Structure formats: C-alpha cells, structure tokens
Amino acid sequence: MASRIPDEVMIDAALIKELAGVAKDTALLQGVLMRTKESPNSSELVTYAPFTLFPSPVPKSVFLQALSVQTHFNTLVDKISQDIDFLQEALASTIEVDDFTARLFKIHQQILKEGRSQSIVLGLNRSDYMLDQREDQTSSLKQIEINTIAASFGGLSSQTPEVHKHILKVAGRLEESQRILDNNPAAGLARGLAKAWELYGSERAVVMFLVEEVQRNIFDHRYIESELWKRNIPTVRKRFDDVYKTGSLDPDKRLFVDGKEVAVVYFRNGYMPQNYTNEQCWDVRLMMERSQAVKCPDIGTHLAGTKKVQQVLARPGVLERFFPDQPQAVQQMRETFAGLYTLDMGPEGDKTVAMALAEPNRFVLKPQREGGGNNIYGSEIVKVLREVRGSTERTAYILMDKINPAPIQNYLLRRDSPLVISNCLSELGVFGAYVRQGAHMVMNECVGHLLRTKSSEHADGGVAAGVAVLDNPLLV
Ligand code: ADP
Ligand code: MG
C-alpha cells in the first residue's frame, strides 16, 4: 500500500531533504527530545527522539476500537492482579523454569503472607496492537501485549502531533495537517499519579520515579513530572541503589527515601532481569512492595502483564471468569486477541511445537521478557524449539500468531542515519490509567495513544531499543 502522501512528494529528494531538516528542528522546538548515547546521563548534549517524517495512515474504525476497549483491559489487569489462584495456576509452569518470573512471584507470595499494607492501587499501562491485513485488504486490530510496568513514551507522544501538523503544512498538505489528532497521555498518566498521591493523603510525601542507571529517555518522564509539579505534587528520581542506601520503612511500613516519605513509587525501571544488577535491587523491590506507598504497578499487576498470563487469557472461558456478567466486554477484548498457544508439557504443548516446526513463519516465539529484542522468529524458532521441545525449558515461552500489517512507505528520521525511504510497519499503543481504593474504582480511563513505526526489515524492538521511531496516526 502506498503512503497517503502523493508519490511525487515521496520521491522528490530535494523536497524530502528540506522537509526532514524542518521536521528535525520542529521536533527540537516541541521538545521531542532524547539524550545521546555519548552522554546518556547528562542533558548537555541532546538530540531529537527518532520519528517519522510523515504520519502513517490508520483506519479510523480500528483506532476507535482500540480506544474503546481500553477501560475493559484496565479492569481486566486489575482483576487479574487480585486473583491469587489465577496467577498461581497461570504461572505455575513458567516459574519452574524462568528465574526472573519466579523471583517476582516469590515477592508476590511473601506479600500475600504478610498481608498488603496499602489498599490503593494505581495502574498505568499501555496496550499495544498491530493491524493484521486481511485477504480482502481490510485490517483487524490484534493485541501484541499489555505493558503493565514502565510503559513509556506517554510524554514524548504528547509533543509529536505538533511536529506532524507543522510538517504537513510545510509540505502543502493543510487538510491532512488538520486531521492530526491531539494527544496528551502525559496529562492522563499524571492524573492517575496525582489521584493516587491525593488518596495517600500526605502533602509532604513525594511521587518517586524509580529510574534506570542509563537515562536517555528522561524527557519522556519529565513531561509527567512537570504535570505533577503543576499540581504542587513533589516528585523525585531515584535509582535502586539510592533507595538501597537511603530508604527504609518506619514501624507503620511508611516508605522513606532520602528523608522523604514516598506516597507513590512509579516504576520506570525493574521490568527486566538486567535492571536488577545485584541482590540489593531485589531487597529494594521487596521493601518497596511491603511498604505503604502506592506501587505503580504492585507486584500482582506486574505479574498480570507477563506473556504467559496473556496466553492463558486467550483460552476459552478465561475472560468470562473475570467478567461473568459482561459478555459484550468479553467479546470486545477477545476480538483483539491473536492466536496464542501454550508450550506447557503435555499433548496440547506438543501440538504447539509440531505446529510451529511445520510453519515457523506463521508464528512468533516469546519468552517472558520485556523491552524489545527478545522474541524469536522464523528459522530461529525451529532451532530453539528443537533444542527445548523435550524438556520443561520450553514452558518459559509462549507461541503467538504472527501479525502481518500492510507495509507503508515513510522516512525514518534518526540521528546519523541516512535519509532513505523505507517500507514500514506500525504499532499502535493505547494508554490506560486507573486507580482503585479497596473495592472501589476511583478512576478508569483511556488517556491517549502512541504510534510507533519501524522498518519492516526489523521483526522486533521498540523506540528505546533503537528500532522503532515515534509516529502519529492519520485517520483514514
Ligand atoms: P516486548 O515486551 O519485548 O516489547 P512484545 O511482545 O511487545 O515484547 O514484542 C516486541 C516487538 O515484536 C513488538 O513491538 C512487535 O514489533 C513485534 N511482535 C511481537 N509480537 C508480534 C506478533 N505476534 N506478530 C508480529 N510482530 C510481533
Ligand atoms: Mg512490547
């Protein structure tokens, strides 16, 4: 499929070069920023976050479908996080072989034993989709995954619409320019954080962003921080190590870090094994989990976002367990599910192995990892499955139908990359925010979207992984 931008524009090298220059300046003006590889922890040297020259067409009906199902997914994640038996059963085979999930699960068990010390729950998640191309050229919305921890780009995607609006005007496409949607996930995510902070009920207490060692994407966080400061809600940024050195619980399990009481711990770190560089990180995770601070996410919600849980949810009758009286909600969610298959030991898992070996290009093999670059495709699937098929090691993975979106031509603007036209695939993310206090949902909203686009040569990987770039949907 061609871009919506006329071919004569797409191939006019001089014009594209000029537009790319304007686009980069506009991104800098609008604060679509990232720190550089050379100085990831200082803002002395920044560049634009990578983005597409043009917005990508997305069918309106599919876009609206993704927005309208989001509050159901918020509710679903929240219900799973509280369902002890479900999590135990769903993850039983995974934690036998996957150490990272096992460690998270162990924290979950310990918290249950001690009793939760905080009844306020804050969920900030992002449900990601691709548009599967049907034979009749229409497309259907298929969920890739729900990120329940450290879902990023809500900040920068609040700034990218202005860039594409501007560049379309400069390209003489005023009508399209006016159709670029406003988007402000930063404000919505901050609303959730603010609500949790307010319910915690201490004016002096801070919202603590738990951040990574390397902080190239700091500006994405800064937008949310700044929304909180606008409300006079203090925020601090701390690493695992800072919390280890200066953090403690008082006798009431209130969390103090560097002398300040923490109302909300917002995890922008802690989602993958490499984030836990030593045992102290795990001690810190447990301490925060045991504390009275509102955790975003709490450990149950983190586990609810695992790929194994996603696969179990696709089994017949499982969504009904969580929504017994809401067949419409069940149907809306299930419509977005791609085929997901267990690799548990037994005849069903054996069948999955045989199916994947017979037609590896139809599937994606996924371990329980986040952050991009971990999935397995094509001939690699055959290699890996041949190795693990006879052992419980295979239960660390799930198998998923591969989604095949229609490629669209665009230019990916990235520092030090040549300006060339690429065949691109897009992934739509939808941000959800909810707050629950005890049994009462205080807030449950869809708070914005994110479109990321990558060259179709890359099977995997997000913006932070250096593969995808920021984009905006142009509804068609
Ligand atoms: P991660 O948690 O590492 O982000 P994802 O499940 O989101 O893992 O997969 C990473 C990337 O791999 C996605 O952004 C998408 O580009 C690609 N991908 C994942 N699942 C599929 C699928 N079923 N079909 C096609 N591409 C997929
Ligand atoms: Mg992902």
mmCIF file of all heavy atoms in Angstrom, residues 126 128 130 142-147 305 307 310 338-340 362-364 366-375 377 400-405 425-427 452 454 458-462 467-468, ligand 1:
data_model
loop_
_atom_site.group_PDB
_atom_site.id
_atom_site.type_symbol
_atom_site.label_atom_id
_atom_site.label_comp_id
_atom_site.label_asym_id
_atom_site.label_seq_id
_atom_site.Cartn_x
_atom_site.Cartn_y
_atom_site.Cartn_z
ATOM 1 N N ARG A 126 -0.070 0.240 28.974
ATOM 2 C CA ARG A 126 -0.204 0.532 27.542
ATOM 3 C C ARG A 126 -0.471 -0.769 26.806
ATOM 4 O O ARG A 126 0.316 -1.709 26.904
ATOM 5 C CB ARG A 126 1.057 1.204 27.015
ATOM 6 C CG ARG A 126 0.845 1.957 25.687
ATOM 7 C CD ARG A 126 2.158 2.433 25.093
ATOM 8 N NE ARG A 126 2.920 1.285 24.669
ATOM 9 C CZ ARG A 126 4.240 1.165 24.823
ATOM 10 N NH1 ARG A 126 4.949 2.120 25.369
ATOM 11 N NH2 ARG A 126 4.849 0.074 24.406
ATOM 12 N N ASP A 128 -0.669 -2.635 23.392
ATOM 13 C CA ASP A 128 -0.103 -2.449 22.047
ATOM 14 C C ASP A 128 -0.789 -3.345 21.020
ATOM 15 O O ASP A 128 -1.133 -4.486 21.321
ATOM 16 C CB ASP A 128 1.391 -2.783 22.075
ATOM 17 C CG ASP A 128 2.201 -1.733 22.836
ATOM 18 O OD1 ASP A 128 1.734 -0.587 22.952
ATOM 19 O OD2 ASP A 128 3.309 -2.075 23.299
ATOM 20 N N MET A 130 -1.116 -4.387 16.581
ATOM 21 C CA MET A 130 -0.769 -4.213 15.169
ATOM 22 C C MET A 130 -2.031 -4.490 14.365
ATOM 23 O O MET A 130 -2.942 -5.176 14.835
ATOM 24 C CB MET A 130 0.343 -5.166 14.761
ATOM 25 C CG MET A 130 1.715 -4.695 15.205
ATOM 26 S SD MET A 130 2.969 -5.903 14.746
ATOM 27 C CE MET A 130 4.288 -4.817 14.285
ATOM 28 N N LYS A 142 -5.136 -6.359 16.326
ATOM 29 C CA LYS A 142 -4.666 -7.518 17.101
ATOM 30 C C LYS A 142 -3.694 -7.053 18.184
ATOM 31 O O LYS A 142 -2.719 -6.346 17.899
ATOM 32 C CB LYS A 142 -3.973 -8.531 16.187
ATOM 33 C CG LYS A 142 -4.935 -9.239 15.236
ATOM 34 C CD LYS A 142 -5.942 -10.092 15.999
ATOM 35 C CE LYS A 142 -7.086 -10.560 15.119
ATOM 36 N NZ LYS A 142 -8.290 -10.965 15.890
ATOM 37 N N GLN A 143 -3.979 -7.481 19.383
ATOM 38 C CA GLN A 143 -3.157 -7.063 20.511
ATOM 39 C C GLN A 143 -1.802 -7.769 20.495
ATOM 40 O O GLN A 143 -1.725 -8.987 20.332
ATOM 41 C CB GLN A 143 -3.877 -7.396 21.822
ATOM 42 C CG GLN A 143 -3.164 -6.862 23.044
ATOM 43 C CD GLN A 143 -3.993 -7.073 24.301
ATOM 44 O OE1 GLN A 143 -4.347 -8.198 24.639
ATOM 45 N NE2 GLN A 143 -4.317 -5.994 24.984
ATOM 46 N N ILE A 144 -0.739 -7.009 20.644
ATOM 47 C CA ILE A 144 0.603 -7.582 20.772
ATOM 48 C C ILE A 144 0.847 -7.947 22.231
ATOM 49 O O ILE A 144 1.235 -9.063 22.560
ATOM 50 C CB ILE A 144 1.683 -6.590 20.272
ATOM 51 C CG1 ILE A 144 1.494 -6.303 18.779
ATOM 52 C CG2 ILE A 144 3.086 -7.112 20.547
ATOM 53 C CD1 ILE A 144 1.732 -7.486 17.857
ATOM 54 N N GLU A 145 0.593 -7.001 23.123
ATOM 55 C CA GLU A 145 0.740 -7.274 24.556
ATOM 56 C C GLU A 145 0.206 -6.088 25.335
ATOM 57 O O GLU A 145 -0.018 -5.018 24.779
ATOM 58 C CB GLU A 145 2.210 -7.491 24.919
ATOM 59 C CG GLU A 145 3.060 -6.251 24.679
ATOM 60 C CD GLU A 145 4.377 -6.237 25.459
ATOM 61 O OE1 GLU A 145 4.564 -7.073 26.357
ATOM 62 O OE2 GLU A 145 5.200 -5.355 25.172
ATOM 63 N N ILE A 146 0.025 -6.290 26.649
ATOM 64 C CA ILE A 146 -0.259 -5.163 27.544
ATOM 65 C C ILE A 146 0.967 -4.964 28.427
ATOM 66 O O ILE A 146 1.432 -5.910 29.059
ATOM 67 C CB ILE A 146 -1.478 -5.421 28.452
ATOM 68 C CG1 ILE A 146 -2.721 -5.767 27.624
ATOM 69 C CG2 ILE A 146 -1.756 -4.194 29.327
ATOM 70 C CD1 ILE A 146 -3.962 -6.038 28.470
ATOM 71 N N ASN A 147 1.482 -3.750 28.429
ATOM 72 C CA ASN A 147 2.623 -3.420 29.299
ATOM 73 C C ASN A 147 2.079 -2.878 30.608
ATOM 74 O O ASN A 147 1.459 -1.814 30.625
ATOM 75 C CB ASN A 147 3.497 -2.357 28.636
ATOM 76 C CG ASN A 147 4.003 -2.835 27.284
ATOM 77 O OD1 ASN A 147 4.937 -3.609 27.204
ATOM 78 N ND2 ASN A 147 3.358 -2.388 26.207
ATOM 79 N N GLY A 305 0.998 -8.711 33.710
ATOM 80 C CA GLY A 305 1.458 -8.300 32.386
ATOM 81 C C GLY A 305 2.404 -9.287 31.723
ATOM 82 O O GLY A 305 2.963 -8.985 30.670
ATOM 83 N N LYS A 307 3.743 -12.508 29.570
ATOM 84 C CA LYS A 307 3.260 -13.091 28.317
ATOM 85 C C LYS A 307 2.527 -14.398 28.578
ATOM 86 O O LYS A 307 1.601 -14.770 27.864
ATOM 87 C CB LYS A 307 4.427 -13.240 27.354
ATOM 88 C CG LYS A 307 5.052 -11.840 27.133
ATOM 89 C CD LYS A 307 5.774 -11.650 25.886
ATOM 90 C CE LYS A 307 5.997 -10.193 25.520
ATOM 91 N NZ LYS A 307 6.635 -9.298 26.474
ATOM 92 N N GLN A 310 -0.963 -13.565 29.352
ATOM 93 C CA GLN A 310 -1.635 -13.197 28.096
ATOM 94 C C GLN A 310 -2.109 -14.442 27.346
ATOM 95 O O GLN A 310 -3.230 -14.502 26.838
ATOM 96 C CB GLN A 310 -0.671 -12.390 27.217
ATOM 97 C CG GLN A 310 -1.277 -11.938 25.897
ATOM 98 C CD GLN A 310 -0.254 -11.300 24.975
ATOM 99 O OE1 GLN A 310 0.957 -11.325 25.229
ATOM 100 N NE2 GLN A 310 -0.734 -10.715 23.892
ATOM 101 N N ALA A 338 -4.923 -12.308 19.175
ATOM 102 C CA ALA A 338 -4.378 -13.182 18.128
ATOM 103 C C ALA A 338 -4.334 -14.603 18.702
ATOM 104 O O ALA A 338 -4.562 -14.794 19.895
ATOM 105 C CB ALA A 338 -2.976 -12.717 17.779
ATOM 106 N N GLY A 339 -4.035 -15.567 17.858
ATOM 107 C CA GLY A 339 -3.881 -16.928 18.358
ATOM 108 C C GLY A 339 -2.695 -17.003 19.308
ATOM 109 O O GLY A 339 -1.613 -16.516 18.997
ATOM 110 N N LEU A 340 -2.915 -17.590 20.479
ATOM 111 C CA LEU A 340 -1.848 -17.749 21.479
ATOM 112 C C LEU A 340 -1.860 -19.192 21.944
ATOM 113 O O LEU A 340 -2.932 -19.753 22.198
ATOM 114 C CB LEU A 340 -2.094 -16.802 22.660
ATOM 115 C CG LEU A 340 -1.809 -15.317 22.356
ATOM 116 C CD1 LEU A 340 -2.761 -14.407 23.104
ATOM 117 C CD2 LEU A 340 -0.363 -14.981 22.710
ATOM 118 N N ARG A 362 4.748 -18.500 10.398
ATOM 119 C CA ARG A 362 3.411 -18.040 10.793
ATOM 120 C C ARG A 362 3.368 -17.569 12.249
ATOM 121 O O ARG A 362 2.331 -17.112 12.714
ATOM 122 C CB ARG A 362 2.401 -19.189 10.620
ATOM 123 C CG ARG A 362 1.828 -19.297 9.221
ATOM 124 C CD ARG A 362 0.710 -20.311 9.212
ATOM 125 N NE ARG A 362 -0.234 -20.067 10.313
ATOM 126 C CZ ARG A 362 -0.973 -20.998 10.890
ATOM 127 N NH1 ARG A 362 -0.880 -22.255 10.513
ATOM 128 N NH2 ARG A 362 -1.809 -20.690 11.871
ATOM 129 N N PHE A 363 4.496 -17.730 12.976
ATOM 130 C CA PHE A 363 4.430 -17.519 14.424
ATOM 131 C C PHE A 363 5.567 -16.651 14.961
ATOM 132 O O PHE A 363 6.559 -16.399 14.276
ATOM 133 C CB PHE A 363 4.467 -18.877 15.144
ATOM 134 C CG PHE A 363 3.363 -19.798 14.717
ATOM 135 C CD1 PHE A 363 3.600 -20.834 13.809
ATOM 136 C CD2 PHE A 363 2.073 -19.611 15.200
ATOM 137 C CE1 PHE A 363 2.573 -21.671 13.400
ATOM 138 C CE2 PHE A 363 1.043 -20.450 14.803
ATOM 139 C CZ PHE A 363 1.293 -21.477 13.896
ATOM 140 N N VAL A 364 5.369 -16.233 16.217
ATOM 141 C CA VAL A 364 6.425 -15.587 16.994
ATOM 142 C C VAL A 364 6.562 -16.390 18.284
ATOM 143 O O VAL A 364 5.560 -16.720 18.913
ATOM 144 C CB VAL A 364 6.052 -14.128 17.353
ATOM 145 C CG1 VAL A 364 7.191 -13.453 18.112
ATOM 146 C CG2 VAL A 364 5.700 -13.330 16.110
ATOM 147 N N LYS A 366 7.837 -16.370 22.073
ATOM 148 C CA LYS A 366 8.126 -15.298 23.045
ATOM 149 C C LYS A 366 8.506 -15.831 24.418
ATOM 150 O O LYS A 366 7.738 -16.559 25.028
ATOM 151 C CB LYS A 366 6.894 -14.402 23.215
ATOM 152 C CG LYS A 366 6.463 -13.678 21.972
ATOM 153 C CD LYS A 366 5.411 -12.642 22.333
ATOM 154 C CE LYS A 366 5.060 -11.799 21.131
ATOM 155 N NZ LYS A 366 4.202 -10.664 21.518
ATOM 156 N N PRO A 367 9.653 -15.409 24.913
ATOM 157 C CA PRO A 367 9.993 -15.688 26.310
ATOM 158 C C PRO A 367 9.312 -14.640 27.207
ATOM 159 O O PRO A 367 8.715 -13.689 26.710
ATOM 160 C CB PRO A 367 11.512 -15.525 26.346
ATOM 161 C CG PRO A 367 11.794 -14.486 25.309
ATOM 162 C CD PRO A 367 10.713 -14.616 24.246
ATOM 163 N N GLN A 368 9.456 -14.802 28.516
ATOM 164 C CA GLN A 368 8.812 -13.857 29.454
ATOM 165 C C GLN A 368 9.704 -12.639 29.638
ATOM 166 O O GLN A 368 10.250 -12.422 30.706
ATOM 167 C CB GLN A 368 8.581 -14.541 30.813
ATOM 168 C CG GLN A 368 7.911 -15.883 30.734
ATOM 169 C CD GLN A 368 6.550 -15.786 30.063
ATOM 170 O OE1 GLN A 368 5.743 -14.947 30.419
ATOM 171 N NE2 GLN A 368 6.304 -16.635 29.086
ATOM 172 N N ARG A 369 9.869 -11.859 28.603
ATOM 173 C CA ARG A 369 10.742 -10.696 28.713
ATOM 174 C C ARG A 369 10.064 -9.454 28.188
ATOM 175 O O ARG A 369 9.151 -9.539 27.372
ATOM 176 C CB ARG A 369 12.044 -10.920 27.939
ATOM 177 C CG ARG A 369 12.958 -11.934 28.571
ATOM 178 C CD ARG A 369 13.570 -11.446 29.861
ATOM 179 N NE ARG A 369 14.132 -12.548 30.612
ATOM 180 C CZ ARG A 369 13.460 -13.314 31.477
ATOM 181 N NH1 ARG A 369 12.188 -13.079 31.737
ATOM 182 N NH2 ARG A 369 14.019 -14.308 32.103
ATOM 183 N N GLU A 370 10.571 -8.299 28.627
ATOM 184 C CA GLU A 370 10.058 -7.007 28.186
ATOM 185 C C GLU A 370 11.216 -6.195 27.629
ATOM 186 O O GLU A 370 12.373 -6.496 27.882
ATOM 187 C CB GLU A 370 9.455 -6.244 29.369
ATOM 188 C CG GLU A 370 8.307 -6.951 30.074
ATOM 189 C CD GLU A 370 7.091 -7.079 29.199
ATOM 190 O OE1 GLU A 370 6.875 -6.212 28.341
ATOM 191 O OE2 GLU A 370 6.356 -8.074 29.359
ATOM 192 N N GLY A 371 10.868 -5.153 26.899
ATOM 193 C CA GLY A 371 11.895 -4.200 26.497
ATOM 194 C C GLY A 371 12.381 -4.374 25.073
ATOM 195 O O GLY A 371 13.247 -3.635 24.620
ATOM 196 N N GLY A 372 11.803 -5.333 24.346
ATOM 197 C CA GLY A 372 12.136 -5.485 22.931
ATOM 198 C C GLY A 372 13.359 -6.338 22.680
ATOM 199 O O GLY A 372 14.231 -6.474 23.546
ATOM 200 N N GLY A 373 13.404 -6.935 21.489
ATOM 201 C CA GLY A 373 14.585 -7.676 21.069
ATOM 202 C C GLY A 373 14.698 -9.087 21.617
ATOM 203 O O GLY A 373 15.732 -9.732 21.433
ATOM 204 N N ASN A 374 13.675 -9.586 22.277
ATOM 205 C CA ASN A 374 13.774 -10.916 22.880
ATOM 206 C C ASN A 374 13.014 -12.001 22.117
ATOM 207 O O ASN A 374 13.207 -13.193 22.371
ATOM 208 C CB ASN A 374 13.220 -10.881 24.312
ATOM 209 C CG ASN A 374 13.957 -9.874 25.184
ATOM 210 O OD1 ASN A 374 15.134 -10.038 25.447
ATOM 211 N ND2 ASN A 374 13.272 -8.822 25.586
ATOM 212 N N ASN A 375 12.141 -11.590 21.234
ATOM 213 C CA ASN A 375 11.297 -12.579 20.556
ATOM 214 C C ASN A 375 12.062 -13.330 19.486
ATOM 215 O O ASN A 375 13.095 -12.882 18.999
ATOM 216 C CB ASN A 375 10.082 -11.888 19.944
ATOM 217 C CG ASN A 375 9.192 -11.275 21.009
ATOM 218 O OD1 ASN A 375 9.217 -11.715 22.156
ATOM 219 N ND2 ASN A 375 8.424 -10.284 20.619
ATOM 220 N N TYR A 377 11.923 -15.531 15.782
ATOM 221 C CA TYR A 377 11.162 -15.585 14.536
ATOM 222 C C TYR A 377 11.758 -16.616 13.573
ATOM 223 O O TYR A 377 12.949 -16.929 13.640
ATOM 224 C CB TYR A 377 11.209 -14.216 13.837
ATOM 225 C CG TYR A 377 10.616 -13.101 14.651
ATOM 226 C CD1 TYR A 377 11.384 -12.432 15.603
ATOM 227 C CD2 TYR A 377 9.292 -12.716 14.481
ATOM 228 C CE1 TYR A 377 10.834 -11.402 16.364
ATOM 229 C CE2 TYR A 377 8.736 -11.690 15.236
ATOM 230 C CZ TYR A 377 9.514 -11.036 16.175
ATOM 231 O OH TYR A 377 8.985 -10.024 16.930
ATOM 232 N N MET A 400 2.846 -17.393 19.539
ATOM 233 C CA MET A 400 1.783 -16.452 19.132
ATOM 234 C C MET A 400 1.711 -16.382 17.617
ATOM 235 O O MET A 400 2.747 -16.474 16.943
ATOM 236 C CB MET A 400 2.123 -15.068 19.700
ATOM 237 C CG MET A 400 1.106 -13.994 19.406
ATOM 238 S SD MET A 400 1.562 -12.466 20.261
ATOM 239 C CE MET A 400 0.135 -11.458 19.855
ATOM 240 N N ASP A 401 0.500 -16.219 17.099
ATOM 241 C CA ASP A 401 0.366 -15.988 15.658
ATOM 242 C C ASP A 401 1.108 -14.715 15.288
ATOM 243 O O ASP A 401 1.036 -13.717 16.009
ATOM 244 C CB ASP A 401 -1.113 -15.777 15.275
ATOM 245 C CG ASP A 401 -1.884 -17.079 15.193
ATOM 246 O OD1 ASP A 401 -1.243 -18.153 15.136
ATOM 247 O OD2 ASP A 401 -3.124 -17.021 15.196
ATOM 248 N N LYS A 402 1.787 -14.746 14.173
ATOM 249 C CA LYS A 402 2.463 -13.538 13.711
ATOM 250 C C LYS A 402 1.449 -12.622 13.024
ATOM 251 O O LYS A 402 0.666 -13.076 12.179
ATOM 252 C CB LYS A 402 3.568 -13.922 12.731
ATOM 253 C CG LYS A 402 4.454 -12.792 12.396
ATOM 254 C CD LYS A 402 5.704 -13.293 11.715
ATOM 255 C CE LYS A 402 6.445 -12.105 11.158
ATOM 256 N NZ LYS A 402 7.183 -12.461 9.966
ATOM 257 N N ILE A 403 1.490 -11.363 13.413
ATOM 258 C CA ILE A 403 0.591 -10.373 12.814
ATOM 259 C C ILE A 403 1.306 -9.775 11.602
ATOM 260 O O ILE A 403 2.493 -9.454 11.664
ATOM 261 C CB ILE A 403 0.268 -9.237 13.817
ATOM 262 C CG1 ILE A 403 -0.147 -9.814 15.173
ATOM 263 C CG2 ILE A 403 -0.777 -8.293 13.266
ATOM 264 C CD1 ILE A 403 -1.276 -10.770 15.118
ATOM 265 N N ASN A 404 0.548 -9.618 10.518
ATOM 266 C CA ASN A 404 1.149 -9.097 9.287
ATOM 267 C C ASN A 404 0.472 -7.815 8.832
ATOM 268 O O ASN A 404 -0.487 -7.853 8.079
ATOM 269 C CB ASN A 404 1.073 -10.153 8.178
ATOM 270 C CG ASN A 404 1.928 -11.353 8.508
ATOM 271 O OD1 ASN A 404 3.142 -11.230 8.655
ATOM 272 N ND2 ASN A 404 1.297 -12.503 8.678
ATOM 273 N N PRO A 405 0.987 -6.684 9.278
ATOM 274 C CA PRO A 405 0.392 -5.417 8.835
ATOM 275 C C PRO A 405 0.830 -5.098 7.407
ATOM 276 O O PRO A 405 1.867 -5.585 6.951
ATOM 277 C CB PRO A 405 0.971 -4.381 9.803
ATOM 278 C CG PRO A 405 1.853 -5.112 10.751
ATOM 279 C CD PRO A 405 2.119 -6.465 10.196
ATOM 280 N N LEU A 425 6.283 -0.738 9.155
ATOM 281 C CA LEU A 425 5.156 -1.314 9.880
ATOM 282 C C LEU A 425 4.925 -0.488 11.131
ATOM 283 O O LEU A 425 5.882 -0.040 11.765
ATOM 284 C CB LEU A 425 5.463 -2.758 10.305
ATOM 285 C CG LEU A 425 5.967 -3.720 9.240
ATOM 286 C CD1 LEU A 425 6.220 -5.090 9.873
ATOM 287 C CD2 LEU A 425 4.954 -3.824 8.106
ATOM 288 N N SER A 426 3.666 -0.320 11.492
ATOM 289 C CA SER A 426 3.359 0.494 12.664
ATOM 290 C C SER A 426 2.720 -0.342 13.756
ATOM 291 O O SER A 426 2.108 -1.374 13.499
ATOM 292 C CB SER A 426 2.405 1.623 12.281
ATOM 293 O OG SER A 426 3.019 2.457 11.333
ATOM 294 N N GLU A 427 2.880 0.153 14.966
ATOM 295 C CA GLU A 427 2.285 -0.481 16.141
ATOM 296 C C GLU A 427 1.585 0.612 16.938
ATOM 297 O O GLU A 427 2.191 1.626 17.267
ATOM 298 C CB GLU A 427 3.393 -1.164 16.955
ATOM 299 C CG GLU A 427 2.902 -1.973 18.123
ATOM 300 C CD GLU A 427 4.020 -2.872 18.712
ATOM 301 O OE1 GLU A 427 5.074 -3.076 18.054
ATOM 302 O OE2 GLU A 427 3.824 -3.357 19.842
ATOM 303 N N ARG A 452 4.061 3.868 16.930
ATOM 304 C CA ARG A 452 5.486 3.653 16.679
ATOM 305 C C ARG A 452 5.625 2.936 15.347
ATOM 306 O O ARG A 452 4.817 2.064 15.027
ATOM 307 C CB ARG A 452 6.109 2.803 17.776
ATOM 308 C CG ARG A 452 6.241 3.517 19.103
ATOM 309 C CD ARG A 452 6.676 2.574 20.198
ATOM 310 N NE ARG A 452 5.711 1.495 20.368
ATOM 311 C CZ ARG A 452 5.934 0.401 21.071
ATOM 312 N NH1 ARG A 452 7.098 0.205 21.662
ATOM 313 N NH2 ARG A 452 5.000 -0.534 21.194
ATOM 314 N N LYS A 454 8.409 1.159 12.431
ATOM 315 C CA LYS A 454 9.766 0.652 12.204
ATOM 316 C C LYS A 454 9.875 0.120 10.784
ATOM 317 O O LYS A 454 8.866 -0.160 10.130
ATOM 318 C CB LYS A 454 10.075 -0.466 13.204
ATOM 319 C CG LYS A 454 9.175 -1.662 13.015
ATOM 320 C CD LYS A 454 9.440 -2.776 13.997
ATOM 321 C CE LYS A 454 8.528 -3.937 13.613
ATOM 322 N NZ LYS A 454 8.485 -4.995 14.554
ATOM 323 N N HIS A 458 12.978 -5.110 10.337
ATOM 324 C CA HIS A 458 13.149 -5.473 11.736
ATOM 325 C C HIS A 458 11.911 -6.173 12.249
ATOM 326 O O HIS A 458 10.817 -5.629 12.191
ATOM 327 C CB HIS A 458 13.401 -4.236 12.597
ATOM 328 C CG HIS A 458 14.693 -3.558 12.294
ATOM 329 N ND1 HIS A 458 15.902 -4.066 12.717
ATOM 330 C CD2 HIS A 458 14.964 -2.437 11.601
ATOM 331 C CE1 HIS A 458 16.864 -3.264 12.295
ATOM 332 N NE2 HIS A 458 16.331 -2.274 11.615
ATOM 333 N N ALA A 459 12.098 -7.398 12.762
ATOM 334 C CA ALA A 459 10.954 -8.125 13.286
ATOM 335 C C ALA A 459 10.537 -7.562 14.633
ATOM 336 O O ALA A 459 9.377 -7.558 14.991
ATOM 337 C CB ALA A 459 11.305 -9.603 13.418
ATOM 338 N N ASP A 460 11.491 -7.068 15.384
ATOM 339 C CA ASP A 460 11.271 -6.804 16.812
ATOM 340 C C ASP A 460 11.904 -5.492 17.231
ATOM 341 O O ASP A 460 12.751 -4.951 16.543
ATOM 342 C CB ASP A 460 11.954 -7.934 17.607
ATOM 343 C CG ASP A 460 11.312 -8.155 18.957
ATOM 344 O OD1 ASP A 460 11.052 -7.175 19.661
ATOM 345 O OD2 ASP A 460 11.078 -9.330 19.273
ATOM 346 N N GLY A 461 11.513 -5.010 18.388
ATOM 347 C CA GLY A 461 12.232 -3.905 19.005
ATOM 348 C C GLY A 461 11.477 -2.596 18.998
ATOM 349 O O GLY A 461 10.841 -2.246 18.006
ATOM 350 N N GLY A 462 11.555 -1.869 20.093
ATOM 351 C CA GLY A 462 10.841 -0.612 20.246
ATOM 352 C C GLY A 462 11.718 0.590 19.981
ATOM 353 O O GLY A 462 12.804 0.467 19.405
ATOM 354 N N VAL A 467 15.053 0.678 17.319
ATOM 355 C CA VAL A 467 14.490 0.122 16.086
ATOM 356 C C VAL A 467 13.301 0.957 15.601
ATOM 357 O O VAL A 467 13.290 1.456 14.487
ATOM 358 C CB VAL A 467 14.077 -1.360 16.288
ATOM 359 C CG1 VAL A 467 13.322 -1.867 15.077
ATOM 360 C CG2 VAL A 467 15.327 -2.215 16.534
ATOM 361 N N ALA A 468 12.321 1.122 16.467
ATOM 362 C CA ALA A 468 11.124 1.865 16.064
ATOM 363 C C ALA A 468 11.328 3.362 16.285
ATOM 364 O O ALA A 468 12.253 3.778 16.992
ATOM 365 C CB ALA A 468 9.924 1.375 16.861
HETATM 366 P P1 ADP B 1 8.368 -6.646 24.452
HETATM 367 O O1 ADP B 1 7.756 -6.872 25.775
HETATM 368 O O2 ADP B 1 9.785 -7.009 24.369
HETATM 369 O O3 ADP B 1 8.058 -5.276 23.943
HETATM 370 P P2 ADP B 1 6.445 -7.564 22.515
HETATM 371 O O4 ADP B 1 5.538 -8.701 22.690
HETATM 372 O O5 ADP B 1 5.819 -6.224 22.587
HETATM 373 O O6 ADP B 1 7.641 -7.711 23.539
HETATM 374 O O7 ADP B 1 7.195 -7.731 21.132
HETATM 375 C C1 ADP B 1 8.210 -6.841 20.717
HETATM 376 C C2 ADP B 1 8.005 -6.450 19.270
HETATM 377 O O8 ADP B 1 7.971 -7.602 18.431
HETATM 378 C C3 ADP B 1 6.692 -5.749 19.025
HETATM 379 O O9 ADP B 1 6.803 -4.371 19.262
HETATM 380 C C4 ADP B 1 6.413 -6.095 17.571
HETATM 381 O O10 ADP B 1 7.144 -5.220 16.727
HETATM 382 C C5 ADP B 1 6.999 -7.482 17.431
HETATM 383 N N1 ADP B 1 5.960 -8.512 17.645
HETATM 384 C C6 ADP B 1 5.584 -9.027 18.827
HETATM 385 N N2 ADP B 1 4.592 -9.919 18.685
HETATM 386 C C7 ADP B 1 4.309 -9.966 17.379
HETATM 387 C C8 ADP B 1 3.375 -10.698 16.598
HETATM 388 N N3 ADP B 1 2.534 -11.562 17.149
HETATM 389 N N4 ADP B 1 3.378 -10.503 15.253
HETATM 390 C C9 ADP B 1 4.245 -9.631 14.691
HETATM 391 N N5 ADP B 1 5.145 -8.912 15.365
HETATM 392 C C10 ADP B 1 5.190 -9.059 16.703
#
